[in-house]
Amino acid sequence: MNDEVIIKIEGLKKHFPMGSGRFTALNGIDLSFGRGEFAGLIGPSGSGKTTLLNIIGTLDVPSEGKAIILGESVGDLSAGASASMRKSQLGFIFQSYNLFQVYTVFENVEFPLLLQNIDASKRKKMVLDALEWVGLTDKIKSKPAQLSGGESQRVAIARSMVKRPSIVLADEPTANLDAANSHNVLQTMEKLNRELHTTFIFATHDDKVIGYVRRKIFLFDGKVAKDEKIEQN
Amino acid sequence: MIRFLFKGLLRDRHRSLLPFIVTATGVMLTVVFHSWITGVIGNSIEFNARFAAGHVKIMTRAYSENAAQTPNDLAILGTDTLLNVISAQFPEMDFVERIYFAGLIDVPDHTGETRAQGPSMGMGIDMLSGNQAEIERLNIPSSLKSGSLPGKRREVLISNAFAEKLGLESGDTLTLVGSTMYGELALYNFTLCGTIEFGTTALDRGTVIADIKDVREALNMDDATGEILGFSRTGYYDHEEASLIANRFNKSYASERDEFSLIMKSLAEQNNMGFLVEYSGTLQGILVFVFIMAMSLILWNAGLLGGLRRYGEFGMRLAIGEGKGHVYKTMLLESLIIGILGSMAGIIAGMGISFYLQRYGIDLGSMMKNASIMMPQVFRARITATTWYIGFIPGVFSALFGTMLAGIGIYKRQTAQLFKELEA
Ligand SMILES: Nc1ncnc2c1ncn2[C@@H]1O[C@H](COP(=O)(O)OP(=O)(O)OP(=O)(O)O)[C@@H](O)[C@H]1O
Ligand SMILES: [Mg+2]
């Protein structure tokens, strides 16, 4: 299951301009991920988790080194090519859900499919499937403001999963949730990971998340300090 | 996707209401100002046309060079034939003869001695032929202050103020002291049948309005007239039409060598009326430009504020895989929708007001009381074909322009930067 490498990172560095000099947020990262992994980037604040996640997500580019995602080198992608990669292959989940406030749950989940010009009847089925996965079929007409935090994050999961991406990147997905909701959300993602073989990569320092992941990559000062795989069956 | 945007616009009033109101208000004002300015300028032009200039005017060349003095010794001769000829030649115009004259009004007592006297400006127009065109053109029935319209020869109307000054009442006799076409003394008795008040100082001081037949007799102007005025059958002065007709006329009648040759002048060529005609076009351009600028500025700011509020949304949309260009295009599309809807609302509201102003007008008589230029009392808006669409220009253009400016700021931001907003 883990033998197909879909993310390959080699000698990755990321510098940000700072004052007259520059600040190195990632300082030589070598990592690879196989299909179906459920991995966590773990580390203190400022260790570079989000920066790495953004590069994997083609939202940012390496300063040095390479990041090959699904066979494409992030630094070499045109804006259009990286957008189309995100459109079909990458899903994002953020700490603050970032649902579109004026749209219903159904419409929020539908949006990625609209971008792909999928026709209405197929779209409807895919949206309902995705809401089924996260157990929210009874809320399709609700607006984000009417949902609890846990429900909102589950809608965000459905929105990131509806197009069945290869990779989902989740940046602190439980940071705004209480324990019960955190577990619920994590169980939902774990189930989707098993059923759909979607690769999940988390950026987190939450112990609850760490308890679920099957691979723990510890980042410290922009470097991989430890990379632990937990064998399960 | 468009449906999706539409829903967003309808539900997110922050996004749509302010720009909608700004657009609708601006468009409404544009429409009302347009019809009002067109109306006011048009009213002034028509007023001058009716009382003095016509849409075109035929005079002898010598007369035209001194037209302000109404030199009737330089009058047009053989007017009966001429009228027939030009009426056939220019069927789009209604031609009328008028004799303007200056003279002294003398009021005799029962012994024949002068009781009162005053200078007057006279106008000889057709009032007794049964054709009401001139009477109505000069708005005489509703300007009648006392007495009645002339019903038979030698009856005359004078300004109400003038009548009061001279102590005249209906039925009284007054004598015109003037000079004939041949420079001899003219004395002619009239009977006062009524007084008039136009509400314009320039006309209400010493105007005498008599039937043209009497004036001909008084001034010995048999088959002659000082001026022939032409009025377009459309009812409005159209500068292009008037110029074309004047050119055609002058080609066949005017001659540099003969000072008694006929010359036709359009309204714009008379009494410095040209500026009003030109003004009208320039003003429309300025108006639209000013509204585009003002509304663009407001919508730009509204767009910036709205954009700031929506950074999170834009970032998320980029993350989901929407291209930056596409996000920008949807913003423009949203503003286009608002621009069109706002413009339509503004046009409906503006048209409502314009129709009201066209129908009822505004009486600025009190402001015009002391105006020495000839202006009507009641101004009305005038809706033209342009009024219907002129609002769309600033409406749609400024909505797009404002969003374009606001959007550049958002567009220029690094994608990763937009993501910063998502992490918080
Ligand atoms: N656009 C940027 N410009 C300058 N510095 C940046 C930028 N983005 C990140 N950094 C810096 O890079 C370092 C790593 O940031 P990053 O956001 O990856 O940390 P993180 O591990 O996600 O931390 P946290 O747990 O607080 O989210 C930080 O010191 C941060 O200040
Ligand atoms: Mg972070």
Side-chain angles (χ1 to χ4, degrees), chain B residues 57-65 74-77 82 226 249-264:
Chain B
K57 186 191 276 187
I58 302 169
M59 299 156 280
T60 64
R61 196 163 59 76
Y63 183 104
S64 82
E65 279 160 13
L74 306 170
I76 303 167
L77 304 176
L82 180 63
F249 180 93
N250 292 334
K251 272 220 182 79
S252 47
Y253 291 94
S255 154
E256 278 297 317
R257 271 164 290 144
D258 180 1
E259 65 170 352
F260 284 97
S261 68
L262 299 179
I263 184 168
M264 184 188 274

Side-chain angles (χ1 to χ4, degrees), chain B residues 192-212:
Chain B
L192 185 68
C193 65
T195 64
I196 41 172
E197 191 173 279
F198 292 109
T200 305
T201 314
L203 290 172
D204 286 339
R205 252 175 312 207
T207 298
V208 173
I209 300 179
D211 187 74
I212 192 161

Side-chain angles (χ1 to χ4, degrees), chain A residues 50 86 96 102-103 107 111, chain B residues 4 7 11 318 422-424:
Chain A
T50 297
R86 292 196 294 274
S96 51
V102 297
Y103 295 106
E107 288 160 350
F111 183 76
Chain B
F4 193 79
K7 275 189 222 161
R11 292 180 199 163
L318 294 175
L422 297 183
E423 290 164 33

Side-chain angles (χ1 to χ4, degrees), chain B residues 135-352:
Chain B
I135 290 174
E136 264 151 33
R137 198 168 274 138
L138 298 183
N139 209 15
I140 291 175
S142 55
S143 304
L144 203 61
K145 186 93 176 168
S146 69
S148 59
L149 297 179
K152 55 179 195 288
R153 293 289 300 266
R154 290 194 174 238
E155 285 192 334
V156 75
L157 294 166
I158 72 171
S159 314
N160 194 58
F162 195 36
E164 276 170 11
K165 199 179 106 190
L166 298 177
L168 280 171
E169 275 168 31
S170 295
D172 288 352
T173 299
L174 52 132
T175 308
L176 167 71
V177 184
S179 73
T180 70
M181 186 162 80
Y182 306 104
E184 296 150 356
L185 178 71
L187 288 172
Y188 198 79
N189 282 347
F190 286 106
T191 307
L192 185 68
C193 65
T195 64
I196 41 172
E197 191 173 279
F198 292 109
T200 305
T201 314
L203 290 172
D204 286 339
R205 252 175 312 207
T207 298
V208 173
I209 300 179
D211 187 74
I212 192 161
K213 288 203 185 83
D214 292 332
V215 176
R216 282 209 172 105
E217 196 171 86
L219 304 183
N220 207 354
M221 291 178 72
D222 198 27
D223 201 21
T225 185
E227 308 178 356
I228 296 176
L229 276 59
F231 291 94
S232 170
R233 292 199 193 275
T234 62
Y236 290 112
Y237 178 69
D238 173 346
H239 184 56
E240 255 168 69
E241 184 196 30
S243 305
L244 273 169
I245 289 175
N247 277 343
R248 262 170 63 206
F249 180 93
N250 292 334
K251 272 220 182 79
S252 47
Y253 291 94
S255 154
E256 278 297 317
R257 271 164 290 144
D258 180 1
E259 65 170 352
F260 284 97
S261 68
L262 299 179
I263 184 168
M264 184 188 274
K265 285 190 168 178
S266 69
L267 173 136
E269 291 171 296
Q270 302 175 51
N271 314 334
N272 302 323
M273 289 297 291
F275 89 98
L276 263 186
V277 175
E278 243 171 66
Y279 204 49
S280 158
T282 320
L283 218 59
Q284 282 180 20
I286 293 174
L287 184 73
V288 169
F289 181 76
V290 165
F291 272 95
I292 287 179
M293 292 318 286
M295 285 158 63
S296 293
L297 277 177
I298 299 174
L299 292 173
W300 176 11
N301 273 291
L304 275 180
L305 289 177
L308 282 174
R309 223 172 40 86
R310 291 173 73 188
Y311 272 168
E313 178 200 330
F314 293 147
M316 195 62 221
R317 283 165 61 179
L318 294 175
I320 290 174
E322 195 172 348
K324 252 187 176 184
H326 194 268
V327 172
Y328 191 54
K329 266 188 251 166
T330 60
M331 283 175 70
L332 289 181
L333 197 63
E334 279 181 13
S335 64
L336 190 66
I337 294 172
I338 289 178
I340 290 173
L341 292 180
S343 298
M344 293 200 307
I347 285 172
I348 291 171
M351 275 300 175

Side-chain angles (χ1 to χ4, degrees), chain A residues 16-18 23-26 43-52 60 171-172 203 205 219, chain B residues 416-417 420 423:
Chain A
F16 290 111
M18 208 173 81
F23 175 81
T24 301
L26 296 175
S45 185
S47 57
K49 306 180 294 288
T50 297
T51 306
L52 180 54
D60 210 344
D171 197 346
E172 315 273 13
H205 43 232
L219 290 187
Chain B
Q417 206 53 41
K420 287 269 152 226
E423 290 164 33

